[in-house]
Coordinates of all heavy atoms in Angstrom, one line a residue:
M1 N 0.8 -1.2 0.0 CA 0.0 0.0 0.0 C 0.9 1.3 0.0 O 1.9 1.3 0.7 CB -0.9 0.0 1.3 CG -2.3 0.2 0.9 SD -3.3 0.2 2.5 CE -3.2 2.0 3.0
K2 N 0.5 2.2 -0.8 CA 1.2 3.5 -0.8 C 0.6 4.5 0.1 O -0.7 4.6 0.2 CB 1.2 4.0 -2.2 CG 2.4 3.4 -3.1 CD 2.8 4.4 -4.2 CE 4.1 3.9 -4.7 NZ 4.8 4.7 -5.6
G3 N 1.4 5.3 0.7 CA 0.8 6.3 1.6 C 1.7 7.5 1.6 O 2.7 7.6 0.8
K4 N 1.3 8.5 2.3 CA 2.1 9.7 2.4 C 2.3 10.1 3.8 O 1.4 10.2 4.6 CB 1.5 10.8 1.6 CG 2.4 11.9 1.1 CD 1.9 12.6 -0.2 CE 3.1 12.9 -1.1 NZ 2.8 13.8 -2.2
T5 N 3.6 10.5 4.2 CA 3.8 11.0 5.5 C 4.0 12.5 5.4 O 4.7 13.0 4.6 CB 5.1 10.4 6.1 OG1 5.0 8.9 6.1 CG2 5.4 10.8 7.5
I6 N 3.3 13.2 6.3 CA 3.4 14.6 6.4 C 3.9 14.9 7.8 O 3.2 14.6 8.7 CB 2.1 15.4 6.1 CG1 1.5 14.9 4.8 CG2 2.4 16.9 6.2 CD1 1.8 15.8 3.6
H7 N 5.1 15.6 7.9 CA 5.6 15.9 9.2 C 4.9 17.2 9.8 O 4.5 18.0 9.0 CB 7.1 16.1 9.2 CG 7.8 14.8 8.9 ND1 8.4 14.6 7.7 CD2 8.0 13.7 9.6 CE1 9.0 13.4 7.7 NE2 8.7 12.8 8.8
M8 N 4.7 17.2 11.1 CA 4.1 18.3 11.7 C 5.0 19.5 11.6 O 6.2 19.4 11.7 CB 3.8 18.0 13.2 CG 2.9 16.8 13.4 SD 1.2 17.4 13.2 CE 1.0 18.4 14.7
C9 N 4.4 20.7 11.5 CA 5.2 21.9 11.6 C 4.5 23.0 12.4 O 3.3 22.8 12.7 CB 5.6 22.4 10.2 SG 4.2 23.0 9.2
V10 N 5.2 24.0 12.8 CA 4.7 25.0 13.7 C 4.6 26.3 12.9 O 5.6 26.7 12.2 CB 5.6 25.2 14.9 CG1 5.0 26.3 15.8 CG2 5.8 24.0 15.6
N11 N 3.4 27.0 12.9 CA 3.3 28.3 12.3 C 3.9 29.3 13.2 O 3.5 29.4 14.4 CB 1.8 28.5 12.1 CG 1.6 29.9 11.4 OD1 1.8 30.9 12.0 ND2 1.2 29.9 10.2
V12 N 4.9 30.0 12.7 CA 5.7 30.9 13.6 C 4.8 32.1 14.2 O 4.8 32.4 15.3 CB 6.9 31.5 12.9 CG1 7.6 32.5 13.8 CG2 7.9 30.4 12.5
R13 N 3.9 32.6 13.3 CA 3.0 33.7 13.8 C 2.1 33.2 14.8 O 1.8 33.8 15.8 CB 2.2 34.3 12.6 CG 3.1 35.2 11.8 CD 2.2 35.7 10.6 NE 3.1 36.5 9.7 CZ 3.3 37.8 9.9 NH1 2.8 38.4 11.0 NH2 4.1 38.5 9.1
G14 N 1.6 32.0 14.6 CA 0.6 31.4 15.5 C 1.3 31.1 16.9 O 0.7 31.3 17.9
A15 N 2.6 30.7 16.8 CA 3.3 30.5 18.0 C 3.5 31.8 18.8 O 3.4 31.8 20.0 CB 4.7 29.8 17.7
I16 N 3.8 32.8 18.1 CA 4.0 34.1 18.8 C 2.7 34.6 19.4 O 2.7 35.0 20.6 CB 4.5 35.2 17.8 CG1 5.9 34.9 17.3 CG2 4.4 36.6 18.4 CD1 6.4 35.8 16.2
R17 N 1.6 34.3 18.7 CA 0.3 34.7 19.3 C 0.0 33.9 20.5 O -0.4 34.5 21.6 CB -0.8 34.4 18.2 CG -2.0 35.3 18.4 CD -2.8 35.4 17.0 NE -2.9 34.2 16.3 CZ -2.6 34.0 15.0 NH1 -2.2 35.0 14.3 NH2 -2.7 32.9 14.4
N18 N 0.3 32.6 20.5 CA 0.0 31.8 21.7 C 0.9 32.2 22.8 O 0.5 32.3 24.0 CB 0.2 30.3 21.3 CG -0.9 29.8 20.4 OD1 -1.9 30.4 20.3 ND2 -0.6 28.7 19.7
L19 N 2.2 32.4 22.5 CA 3.1 32.8 23.6 C 2.7 34.2 24.2 O 2.9 34.3 25.4 CB 4.5 32.9 23.0 CG 5.2 31.5 22.7 CD1 6.4 31.8 21.7 CD2 5.7 30.9 23.9
T20 N 2.3 35.1 23.3 CA 2.0 36.4 23.8 C 0.8 36.3 24.8 O 0.7 37.0 25.8 CB 1.6 37.3 22.6 OG1 2.7 37.3 21.8 CG2 1.4 38.8 23.1
R21 N -0.2 35.4 24.5 CA -1.4 35.3 25.3 C -1.1 34.5 26.6 O -1.9 34.6 27.5 CB -2.5 34.6 24.5 CG -3.1 35.5 23.5 CD -4.2 34.7 22.7 NE -4.7 35.4 21.6 CZ -5.3 34.9 20.6 NH1 -5.5 33.6 20.6 NH2 -5.8 35.7 19.6
S22 N -0.1 33.7 26.5 CA 0.2 32.8 27.6 C 0.6 33.6 28.9 O 1.2 34.6 28.8 CB 1.3 31.8 27.2 OG 1.8 31.1 28.4
R23 N 0.2 33.0 30.0 CA 0.6 33.7 31.3 C 1.8 32.9 31.9 O 2.2 33.2 33.0 CB -0.5 33.8 32.3 CG -1.6 34.8 31.8 CD -2.7 34.9 32.8 NE -3.8 35.7 32.1 CZ -4.9 36.0 32.8 NH1 -5.1 35.6 34.0 NH2 -5.8 36.7 32.2
A24 N 2.1 31.8 31.3 CA 3.2 31.0 31.9 C 4.5 31.7 31.8 O 4.8 32.4 30.8 CB 3.2 29.6 31.1
H25 N 5.4 31.5 32.7 CA 6.7 32.1 32.7 C 7.6 31.3 31.7 O 8.3 31.9 31.0 CB 7.3 32.1 34.1 CG 8.7 32.6 34.1 ND1 9.0 33.9 33.7 CD2 9.9 32.1 34.4 CE1 10.3 34.1 33.8 NE2 10.9 33.0 34.2
M26 N 7.5 30.0 31.8 CA 8.3 29.1 30.9 C 7.5 28.8 29.7 O 6.3 28.6 29.7 CB 8.8 27.9 31.6 CG 9.6 28.1 32.9 SD 11.0 29.2 32.7 CE 12.1 28.0 31.8
A27 N 8.3 28.6 28.5 CA 7.6 28.2 27.3 C 8.0 26.8 27.0 O 9.0 26.4 26.4 CB 8.1 29.1 26.1
H28 N 7.1 25.9 27.5 CA 7.4 24.5 27.3 C 7.3 24.1 25.9 O 6.4 24.6 25.2 CB 6.4 23.6 28.2 CG 6.7 23.8 29.7 ND1 7.8 23.3 30.3 CD2 6.0 24.6 30.6 CE1 7.7 23.8 31.5 NE2 6.7 24.5 31.7
G29 N 8.2 23.3 25.4 CA 8.2 23.0 24.0 C 9.2 23.8 23.2 O 9.6 23.5 22.1
F30 N 9.7 24.9 23.9 CA 10.8 25.7 23.3 C 12.0 25.5 24.1 O 12.0 25.8 25.3 CB 10.4 27.2 23.3 CG 9.2 27.5 22.4 CD1 7.9 27.3 22.9 CD2 9.4 27.9 21.1 CE1 6.8 27.6 22.0 CE2 8.3 28.2 20.2 CZ 7.0 28.0 20.7
S31 N 13.1 25.1 23.4 CA 14.3 24.9 24.2 C 15.5 25.5 23.5 O 15.6 25.6 22.3 CB 14.6 23.5 24.5 OG 14.4 22.7 23.4
H32 N 16.5 25.9 24.3 CA 17.8 26.4 23.8 C 18.5 25.2 23.2 O 18.2 24.1 23.5 CB 18.6 27.0 25.0 CG 18.0 28.3 25.5 ND1 18.1 29.5 24.9 CD2 17.3 28.5 26.6 CE1 17.5 30.4 25.6 NE2 17.0 29.9 26.7
P33 N 19.5 25.5 22.4 CA 20.3 24.4 21.8 C 20.9 23.5 22.9 O 21.1 22.3 22.7 CB 21.5 25.2 21.1 CG 20.9 26.5 20.8 CD 19.9 26.8 21.9
D34 N 21.2 24.0 24.1 CA 21.7 23.2 25.2 C 20.6 22.4 25.9 O 20.9 21.7 26.9 CB 22.6 24.0 26.1 CG 21.8 25.0 26.9 OD1 20.6 25.0 26.8 OD2 22.4 25.8 27.6
G35 N 19.4 22.6 25.5 CA 18.3 21.8 26.1 C 17.5 22.5 27.2 O 16.5 22.0 27.6
R36 N 18.0 23.6 27.7 CA 17.2 24.3 28.7 C 15.9 24.9 28.1 O 15.9 25.3 27.0 CB 18.1 25.5 29.2 CG 19.1 25.2 30.2 CD 19.9 26.4 30.7 NE 20.4 27.2 29.6 CZ 20.0 28.5 29.3 NH1 19.2 29.2 30.1 NH2 20.6 29.1 28.3
T37 N 14.9 24.8 28.9 CA 13.6 25.3 28.4 C 13.7 26.9 28.4 O 14.2 27.5 29.3 CB 12.5 24.9 29.3 OG1 12.4 23.5 29.4 CG2 11.1 25.4 28.9
M38 N 13.2 27.5 27.3 CA 13.2 28.9 27.2 C 12.1 29.5 28.1 O 11.1 28.9 28.3 CB 12.9 29.3 25.8 CG 14.0 29.1 24.8 SD 13.5 29.7 23.2 CE 15.0 29.3 22.3
T39 N 12.3 30.7 28.6 CA 11.2 31.5 29.2 C 10.3 32.0 28.0 O 10.7 31.9 26.9 CB 11.7 32.7 30.0 OG1 12.3 33.6 29.0 CG2 12.8 32.3 31.0
R40 N 9.1 32.4 28.4 CA 8.2 32.9 27.4 C 8.8 34.0 26.6 O 8.7 34.0 25.4 CB 6.9 33.4 28.1 CG 5.8 33.6 27.3 CD 4.6 34.0 28.1 NE 4.8 35.2 28.8 CZ 4.3 36.4 28.4 NH1 3.5 36.5 27.3 NH2 4.5 37.5 29.0
D41 N 9.5 35.0 27.3 CA 10.0 36.1 26.5 C 11.1 35.6 25.6 O 11.2 36.1 24.5 CB 10.6 37.1 27.5 CG 9.6 37.9 28.3 OD1 8.4 37.8 27.8 OD2 9.9 38.6 29.2
E42 N 11.9 34.7 26.0 CA 13.0 34.2 25.1 C 12.4 33.5 23.9 O 12.9 33.6 22.8 CB 13.9 33.2 25.9 CG 14.8 33.8 26.9 CD 15.6 32.8 27.8 OE1 15.1 31.7 28.0 OE2 16.6 33.2 28.3
A43 N 11.3 32.7 24.1 CA 10.7 32.0 23.0 C 10.1 33.0 22.0 O 10.2 32.8 20.8 CB 9.6 31.1 23.6
I44 N 9.5 34.1 22.5 CA 8.9 35.1 21.6 C 10.1 35.7 20.8 O 9.9 35.8 19.6 CB 8.2 36.1 22.4 CG1 6.9 35.5 23.0 CG2 7.8 37.3 21.5 CD1 6.2 36.4 24.0
E45 N 11.2 36.0 21.5 CA 12.3 36.6 20.7 C 12.8 35.6 19.7 O 13.1 36.0 18.5 CB 13.5 36.9 21.7 CG 13.2 38.2 22.5 CD 13.0 39.4 21.6 OE1 13.8 39.6 20.7 OE2 12.0 40.1 21.9
A46 N 12.9 34.4 20.0 CA 13.4 33.3 19.1 C 12.5 33.2 17.9 O 12.9 33.1 16.7 CB 13.5 32.0 19.8
M47 N 11.2 33.4 18.1 CA 10.2 33.3 17.0 C 10.3 34.5 16.1 O 10.3 34.4 14.9 CB 8.8 33.1 17.6 CG 8.5 31.8 18.2 SD 8.5 30.4 17.1 CE 10.1 29.7 17.6
Y48 N 10.5 35.7 16.7 CA 10.8 36.9 15.9 C 12.0 36.7 15.0 O 12.1 37.2 13.9 CB 10.8 38.1 16.7 CG 9.4 38.7 17.0 CD1 9.0 38.8 18.3 CD2 8.6 39.1 16.0 CE1 7.7 39.3 18.6 CE2 7.3 39.5 16.3 CZ 6.9 39.7 17.6 OH 5.6 40.1 17.8
D49 N 13.1 36.1 15.6 CA 14.3 35.9 14.9 C 14.0 35.0 13.6 O 14.6 35.2 12.6 CB 15.3 35.2 15.7 CG 16.0 36.1 16.8 OD1 15.8 37.4 16.6 OD2 16.6 35.6 17.7
E50 N 13.2 34.0 13.8 CA 12.8 33.1 12.7 C 12.1 33.9 11.6 O 12.4 33.7 10.4 CB 12.0 31.9 13.2 CG 12.7 31.0 14.2 CD 13.8 30.3 13.5 OE1 13.9 30.2 12.3 OE2 14.7 29.8 14.3
L51 N 11.2 34.8 12.0 CA 10.4 35.6 11.0 C 11.4 36.4 10.3 O 11.2 36.6 9.0 CB 9.4 36.4 11.7 CG 8.0 35.8 12.1 CD1 7.1 36.9 12.7 CD2 7.4 35.2 10.9
E52 N 12.4 37.0 10.9 CA 13.4 37.8 10.3 C 14.2 37.1 9.2 O 14.6 37.6 8.2 CB 14.3 38.5 11.3 CG 13.7 39.7 11.9 CD 14.6 40.4 12.9 OE1 15.8 40.0 12.9 OE2 14.1 41.2 13.7
K53 N 14.3 35.8 9.5 CA 15.1 34.9 8.5 C 14.1 34.5 7.4 O 14.6 33.8 6.5 CB 15.6 33.7 9.2 CG 16.8 33.9 10.1 CD 17.3 32.6 10.6 CE 17.2 32.5 12.2 NZ 17.5 31.2 12.7
G54 N 12.9 35.0 7.4 CA 11.9 34.6 6.4 C 11.3 33.3 6.6 O 10.6 32.7 5.8
H55 N 11.4 32.8 7.9 CA 10.8 31.5 8.2 C 9.4 31.7 8.7 O 9.2 32.4 9.7 CB 11.7 30.8 9.3 CG 13.0 30.4 8.8 ND1 13.9 29.8 9.6 CD2 13.5 30.4 7.5 CE1 15.0 29.5 8.9 NE2 14.8 29.9 7.6
K56 N 8.4 31.2 8.0 CA 7.0 31.3 8.5 C 6.6 30.0 9.2 O 5.6 30.1 10.0 CB 6.1 31.5 7.3 CG 6.4 32.9 6.7 CD 5.5 33.1 5.5 CE 5.8 34.5 4.9 NZ 5.2 34.6 3.5
V57 N 7.2 28.9 8.9 CA 6.9 27.7 9.6 C 8.2 27.0 10.0 O 9.2 27.2 9.4 CB 6.1 26.7 8.7 CG1 4.7 27.2 8.5 CG2 6.8 26.4 7.4
L58 N 8.1 26.3 11.1 CA 9.3 25.5 11.6 C 8.9 24.1 11.8 O 7.8 23.7 12.1 CB 9.7 26.1 13.0 CG 10.1 27.5 13.1 CD1 10.4 27.9 14.5 CD2 11.4 27.7 12.3
P59 N 9.9 23.2 11.5 CA 9.6 21.8 11.7 C 9.5 21.4 13.2 O 10.2 22.1 14.0 CB 10.8 21.1 11.0 CG 11.9 22.1 11.1 CD 11.2 23.4 11.0
M60 N 8.7 20.5 13.5 CA 8.7 20.0 14.9 C 9.7 18.9 14.9 O 9.5 17.9 14.2 CB 7.3 19.4 15.3 CG 6.3 20.5 15.5 SD 4.7 19.9 16.1 CE 5.1 19.5 17.8
G61 N 10.8 19.1 15.6 CA 11.9 18.1 15.6 C 12.8 18.5 14.4 O 12.9 19.7 14.0
S62 N 13.6 17.6 13.9 CA 14.6 17.9 12.9 C 13.9 18.1 11.6 O 13.0 17.4 11.2 CB 15.7 16.9 12.9 OG 15.1 15.6 12.9
P63 N 14.4 19.1 10.8 CA 13.8 19.3 9.5 C 14.0 18.1 8.6 O 15.0 17.5 8.6 CB 14.6 20.5 8.9 CG 15.8 20.7 9.8 CD 15.5 20.0 11.1
C64 N 13.0 17.9 7.8 CA 13.0 16.7 6.9 C 13.4 17.2 5.5 O 13.5 18.4 5.2 CB 11.7 16.0 6.8 SG 10.3 17.1 6.3
E65 N 13.7 16.2 4.6 CA 14.1 16.5 3.2 C 13.1 17.4 2.5 O 11.9 17.1 2.5 CB 14.1 15.1 2.5 CG 14.5 15.2 1.1 CD 16.0 15.1 1.0 OE1 16.7 14.5 1.8 OE2 16.5 15.8 0.0
G66 N 13.6 18.5 2.0 CA 12.7 19.4 1.3 C 11.8 20.3 2.1 O 10.9 20.9 1.5
F67 N 12.0 20.5 3.4 CA 11.2 21.3 4.2 C 11.2 22.7 3.8 O 12.2 23.3 3.5 CB 11.6 21.2 5.7 CG 10.6 21.8 6.6 CD1 9.6 21.1 7.2 CD2 10.7 23.2 7.0 CE1 8.7 21.6 8.0 CE2 9.8 23.7 7.9 CZ 8.8 23.0 8.4
D68 N 10.0 23.3 3.6 CA 9.9 24.7 3.1 C 9.5 25.6 4.2 O 8.4 25.7 4.7 CB 8.8 24.7 2.0 CG 8.5 26.1 1.5 OD1 9.4 27.0 1.7 OD2 7.5 26.3 0.8
Y69 N 10.6 26.4 4.7 CA 10.4 27.3 5.8 C 9.5 28.5 5.4 O 9.0 29.2 6.2 CB 11.8 27.8 6.2 CG 12.6 26.8 7.0 CD1 13.5 26.0 6.4 CD2 12.4 26.8 8.4 CE1 14.2 25.1 7.1 CE2 13.2 25.8 9.1 CZ 14.1 25.0 8.5 OH 14.8 24.1 9.2
S70 N 9.4 28.8 4.1 CA 8.7 30.0 3.7 C 7.2 29.8 3.7 O 6.4 30.7 3.4 CB 9.1 30.4 2.3 OG 8.7 29.4 1.3
G71 N 6.7 28.7 4.2 CA 5.3 28.5 4.4 C 4.7 27.1 4.1 O 3.7 26.7 4.6
G72 N 5.4 26.4 3.2 CA 4.9 25.2 2.7 C 5.0 24.0 3.7 O 4.3 23.1 3.7
G73 N 6.1 24.2 4.6 CA 6.3 23.1 5.5 C 6.8 21.8 4.9 O 7.4 21.8 3.8
C74 N 6.4 20.7 5.5 CA 6.8 19.4 4.9 C 6.1 19.2 3.6 O 4.9 19.3 3.4 CB 6.4 18.3 5.9 SG 6.7 16.6 5.3
P75 N 6.9 18.8 2.6 CA 6.4 18.5 1.2 C 5.6 17.2 1.2 O 4.9 17.0 0.2 CB 7.6 18.5 0.3 CG 8.7 18.1 1.2 CD 8.4 18.6 2.6
G76 N 5.8 16.4 2.2 CA 5.1 15.1 2.1 C 6.1 14.1 1.6 O 7.0 14.4 0.7
H77 N 6.1 12.9 2.1 CA 7.0 11.8 1.6 C 6.2 10.6 1.3 O 5.4 10.2 2.1 CB 8.0 11.5 2.8 CG 8.6 12.8 3.4 ND1 9.7 13.4 2.8 CD2 8.2 13.5 4.4 CE1 10.0 14.4 3.5 NE2 9.1 14.6 4.5
D78 N 6.5 10.1 0.2 CA 5.8 8.8 -0.2 C 6.4 7.7 0.7 O 7.6 7.6 0.9 CB 6.1 8.5 -1.7 CG 5.3 9.4 -2.6 OD1 4.2 9.9 -2.2 OD2 5.9 9.8 -3.7
T79 N 5.5 6.9 1.2 CA 5.9 5.7 1.9 C 5.3 4.5 1.3 O 4.2 4.6 0.7 CB 5.4 5.8 3.4 OG1 4.0 6.1 3.4 CG2 6.1 6.9 4.1
E80 N 5.9 3.4 1.4 CA 5.4 2.2 0.9 C 5.5 1.1 1.9 O 6.5 0.8 2.5 CB 6.2 1.8 -0.4 CG 5.4 0.8 -1.2 CD 5.8 1.0 -2.7 OE1 6.5 1.9 -3.1 OE2 5.2 0.2 -3.5
D81 N 4.3 0.6 2.3 CA 4.3 -0.5 3.3 C 4.6 -1.8 2.6 O 4.1 -2.1 1.5 CB 2.9 -0.6 3.9 CG 2.6 0.7 4.7 OD1 3.5 1.4 5.1 OD2 1.4 1.0 4.8
A82 N 5.5 -2.6 3.2 CA 5.9 -3.8 2.7 C 4.8 -4.8 2.8 O 4.0 -4.7 3.7 CB 7.1 -4.4 3.4
Ligands
LIG1 ZN1 8.5 15.7 6.0

C-alpha cells in the first residue's frame, strides 16, 4: 500500500500569538540548543528571529528532506508499506 507521511510543523506567527497570550513564565516545547527550556520572553524573541530569517513555519523536531520554511512546511514523503 502506498501512503504519504506529512511531518508536523509550527506556524511561527501562531506560536508568537500563543506565547503572547500565555501567562506561563516558561515556554514548554521551546528549548535552547543546550536543552534548557526557554522562558516565554526568550521564546517570543526566538520566534521573531525566525520571522526575520523569512521563516514562516518551523519543523517539529529535525527538518526533513525538502522542508519549506517559507510557508509550505513538509512537502510530504511517499511511503510504501511492505
Ligand atoms: Zn517531512
Side-chain angles (χ1 to χ4, degrees):
M1 231 182 87
K2 275 206 167 188
K4 206 156 215 194
T5 302
I6 308 264
H7 293 110
M8 297 281 287
C9 64
V10 181
N11 179 292
V12 176
R13 284 178 184 278
I16 291 173
R17 204 155 44 229
N18 290 339
L19 286 162
T20 305
R21 285 179 187 162
S22 167
R23 293 185 189 178
H25 177 61
M26 301 305 288
H28 295 288
F30 293 86
S31 49
H32 291 283
D34 64 8
R36 282 180 306 123
T37 302
M38 289 184 179
T39 65
R40 191 175 66 99
D41 288 348
E42 285 171 338
I44 290 170
E45 284 303 312
M47 290 296 102
Y48 276 119
D49 287 347
E50 295 295 339
L51 279 184
E52 276 179 18
K53 287 185 239 171
H55 293 175
K56 292 180 182 162
V57 293
L58 296 176
M60 287 184 76
S62 44
C64 58
E65 182 83 36
F67 191 87
D68 177 14
Y69 285 91
S70 67
C74 175
H77 312 275
D78 289 328
T79 54
E80 200 147 359
D81 298 333

